[in-house]
Amino acid sequence: MMRELPAPPQADELSELIRKKVAETQSAGGTRETVTVDWNEQKAHVDVIDLPLSKLYFNPSTHRIRAQRSHDAARDTELDQNPWSPESQDYLRFLLQASPTDTHLRDVDFDALKESLDEFGQNDPGLVTHHGVLVNGNTRAAALRELGVQSMRVGVLPESFTWADINAVELSLQLRRDHRRDYSYVNRIIAMEEQAALGRTPEQIAKEFRIQVRTYHQERWILATIRELIKRSQVAGSGLRLVDWEGAQERLKELQRLYVKLETLDRDQAEILKELRLAAILLNFSKTDVRHINEDFLKEGLEQRLLSAGPRPEGVPQAKPAGVMIPGLGVEVPAASSAVADMKAINDRLLRAAAVVRSKSEDLDLGNEAKEQAQSVLDDAKKSFDEAIEAAGRSARLRKRKQLAPARLAEACASIDQCVSDLVQARTSRSLDEEAFDDAVIKLRSSLLKLAQQAGRGLQDPGDGVAWLMDAVVTEGPR
């Protein structure tokens, strides 16, 4: 969470240099370059100066790489304790040029920015504190350093700004509609959480982020779920990271919508589907595959296939879920069903296995054998889920085929009803093309005859609708 950071080394010397440069700019006369800053619903215009890149510090609290900091737990701890050390600043530089969804890879957007700066130079100024900490322009500074550029144009915030003010300014700049590079998804919802911790209302935060209030609540639900999963994945002092969920935005949003819809109707069903979908997301199934895990998935009992094939902690007998005591009332209410508890147990094993597989060897003192076992758990689960999802897909396609003919006929009926209205209007205005209309009716008769022939095949006891259609064919006679 956001906290006050100590001043960086040689902060007084850098502050004095910045004061002198600002004073020189103000006394030079002519048109001064300024940058506009939104702060406390006011606009401030701050002077832009040129500062040596070697003297500027990357911002440890920037929202741009907040989730990605979990890439390396040891370096993240060092960053918390010594944010201005060369090692911590180098870690920030690494994260700024890494892919938000996979920090082991270099970000193609960073390279595109670097190419643009190399070709066109720096168009927009960055923003720094009076101690030389970059508030806006961290990524540009990293790219300029790689290009060997010696200085950077930056606007200077007032000395009175606290770290809360600094974070608010960074957020307001990032959320401008014309900003070219968005925060990654998890960093964005972390920023919402921080705004809520400052006491801002959901309505205020939604307005700031230009979203609806229900979307804000959805994002908070997703972040809480991610944090719960990270906690459940803990093994040997390590676990999954925030960055591990960067690519799951749409799948998590669809999960939240399904959960909210089902929760009031059947809490156990909602919890089971939540665990199933989270496991499928963890196993990296696509959005279309995850969608097959729905109410029909449970109706067909496909979750039982996963429960019987799923990984279970060795030597741990299944226990009946205990009731939950309501504090202050002394009343016990039923806990989640055993099916929910079983599915959570399976998911916990998968989460811990994923944490082992995705960790670096030095993070967990478990050895290669433990990683191989964890990978085997994930592979077996992937196979079981793949089979269940494929079965659900076949059932969905079968249901669609069963419903296709009635749906087509319903559409035809709606078109005929609209035709009645159009016919009345055409006759009222005397604009009906009677010859074309007659040809269309003949085509309709031919289509109905074909429909009757197919609808009556193999039916011993046809329903009222099909019986009427077949009688109409008999009355019409062959054509």
Side-chain angles (χ1 to χ4, degrees):
M1 298 300 290
M2 186 179 61
R3 61 187 177 92
E4 289 289 327
L5 296 176
Q10 300 177 327
D12 292 339
E13 295 178 18
L14 189 54
S15 292
E16 185 60 30
L17 173 63
I18 290 174
R19 288 192 196 98
K20 288 180 178 179
K21 283 185 168 286
V22 170
E24 289 172 1
T25 299
Q26 293 174 344
S27 62
T31 303
R32 307 198 318 260
E33 182 181 9
T34 62
V35 61
T36 303
V37 174
D38 294 319
W39 175 57
N40 286 344
E41 299 185 354
Q42 299 178 4
K43 292 187 181 296
H45 305 285
V46 299
D47 289 299
V48 174
I49 60 174
D50 206 58
L51 285 177
L53 267 169
S54 60
K55 292 185 178 293
L56 299 179
Y57 290 91
F58 295 122
N59 183 4
S61 66
T62 178
H63 295 91
R64 181 167 297 286
I65 47 87
R66 190 66 58 84
Q68 287 68 31
R69 285 181 51 168
S70 59
H71 167 80
D72 187 320
R75 297 176 78 180
D76 188 28
T77 300
E78 171 65 19
L79 182 56
D80 262 336
Q81 295 174 352
N82 302 294
W84 314 116
S85 69
E87 295 78 13
S88 294
Q89 288 289 301
D90 184 65
Y91 186 42
L92 289 172
R93 177 205 57 77
F94 163 76
L95 294 177
L96 288 166
Q97 57 85 36
S99 168
T101 55
D102 186 350
T103 44
H104 294 92
L105 303 176
R106 189 173 171 94
D107 188 9
V108 293
D109 289 337
F110 178 84
D111 286 330
L113 172 64
K114 181 180 172 182
E115 290 177 9
S116 175
L117 289 168
D118 189 30
E119 183 175 359
F120 303 108
Q122 181 189 356
N123 293 324
D124 301 318
L127 199 63
V128 297
T129 69
H130 69 288
H131 285 149
V133 180
L134 286 157
V135 177
N136 186 42
N138 284 270
T139 313
R140 273 172 286 168
L144 289 169
R145 286 184 180 180
E146 283 197 6
L147 291 169
V149 176
Q150 298 301 306
S151 63
M152 180 178 181
R153 289 173 24 253
V154 291
V156 182
L157 291 175
E159 293 187 32
S160 61
F161 270 40
T162 65
W163 275 101
D165 297 327
I166 290 166
N167 278 287
V169 167
E170 184 208 7
L171 191 61
S172 68
L173 287 170
Q174 175 59 37
L175 295 178
R176 285 181 178 177
R177 293 183 185 276
D178 59 349
H179 208 279
R180 294 184 180 179
R181 191 177 181 220
D182 292 336
Y183 287 153
S184 69
Y185 175 63
V186 176
N187 287 327
R188 185 177 174 88
I189 57 179
I190 289 174
M192 293 182 194
E193 180 186 54
E194 291 181 351
Q195 293 298 299
L198 292 174
R200 305 192 69 191
T201 66
E203 290 75 18
Q204 290 173 323
I205 298 173
K207 181 179 179 182
E208 185 75 20
F209 281 79
R210 300 183 177 92
I211 58 175
Q212 295 182 344
V213 175
R214 68 170 179 268
T215 304
Y216 163 78
H217 289 298
Q218 178 187 58
E219 307 289 35
R220 293 301 307 276
W221 184 93
I222 289 172
L223 182 58
T225 299
I226 290 174
R227 292 197 187 281
E228 177 195 354
L229 294 173
I230 291 173
K231 184 176 180 181
R232 289 166 59 184
S233 72
Q234 295 293 315
V235 55
S238 186
L240 292 175
R241 308 157 302 170
L242 287 166
V243 68
D244 291 323
W245 304 94
E246 277 287 11
Q249 173 179 350
E250 292 303 320
R251 287 171 291 173
L252 289 170
K253 286 188 173 184
E254 290 189 359
L255 165 60
Q256 188 271 345
R257 288 194 289 269
L258 176 66
Y259 183 84
V260 170
K261 182 182 78 171
L262 297 179
E263 184 183 21
T264 55
L265 302 175
D266 188 334
R267 179 66 180 268
D268 281 355
Q269 184 185 57
E271 288 291 337
I272 291 173
L273 286 175
K274 175 184 173 183
E275 294 297 325
L276 285 168
R277 284 204 173 192
L278 287 172
I281 293 170
L282 181 70
L283 295 169
N284 204 29
F285 281 92
S286 68
K287 181 167 64 174
T288 51
D289 284 338
V290 174
R291 284 174 182 165
H292 287 309
I293 302 176
N294 52 25
E295 301 96 310
D296 292 322
F297 192 94
L298 300 185
K299 287 178 183 177
E300 295 174 16
L302 292 174
E303 83 284 1
Q304 295 302 323
R305 180 183 302 186
L306 299 176
L307 284 168
S308 60
R312 297 191 182 281
E314 296 180 2
V316 179
Q318 287 187 329
K320 183 179 179 180
V324 177
M325 188 69 68
I326 300 178
L329 296 180
V331 177
E332 187 179 64
V333 296
S337 68
S338 58
V340 175
D342 290 345
M343 193 57 66
K344 284 190 174 183
I346 290 176
N347 215 358
D348 286 345
R349 182 92 185 273
L350 295 178
L351 288 164
R352 289 192 290 270
V356 172
V357 169
R358 298 181 187 186
S359 68
K360 297 185 300 182
S361 298
E362 57 267 27
D363 290 341
L364 295 174
D365 187 20
L366 296 174
N368 291 330
E369 183 179 353
K371 283 203 169 187
E372 291 174 2
Q373 291 176 352
Q375 186 62 61
S376 177
V377 168
L378 295 179
D379 291 342
D380 291 344
K382 179 84 171 181
K383 181 180 178 181
S384 298
F385 268 81
D386 197 34
E387 293 172 353
I389 289 174
E390 176 60 28
R394 288 195 301 269
S395 297
R397 290 190 292 273
L398 179 60
R399 284 193 302 273
K400 187 174 181 179
R401 285 197 296 270
K402 288 180 177 179
Q403 297 166 0
L404 192 57
R408 295 278 191 192
L409 195 55
E411 290 178 7
C413 291
S415 296
I416 291 175
D417 290 341
Q418 182 61 46
C419 177
V420 173
S421 177
D422 294 341
L423 179 62
V424 172
Q425 293 181 13
R427 280 186 168 163
T428 301
S429 60
R430 297 182 180 180
S431 60
L432 177 65
D433 186 339
E434 295 184 359
E435 185 176 348
F437 182 74
D438 191 64
D439 290 341
V441 172
I442 291 174
K443 188 175 181 179
L444 173 63
R445 179 183 63 188
S446 175
S447 297
L448 288 174
L449 289 172
K450 293 177 185 177
L451 178 62
Q453 290 171 0
Q454 295 300 323
R457 283 185 176 179
L459 291 180
Q460 296 290 336
D461 186 19
D464 292 342
V466 175
W468 170 86
L469 185 60
M470 294 172 65
D471 289 343
V473 170
V474 172
T475 302
E476 177 72 15
R479 291 279 176 173

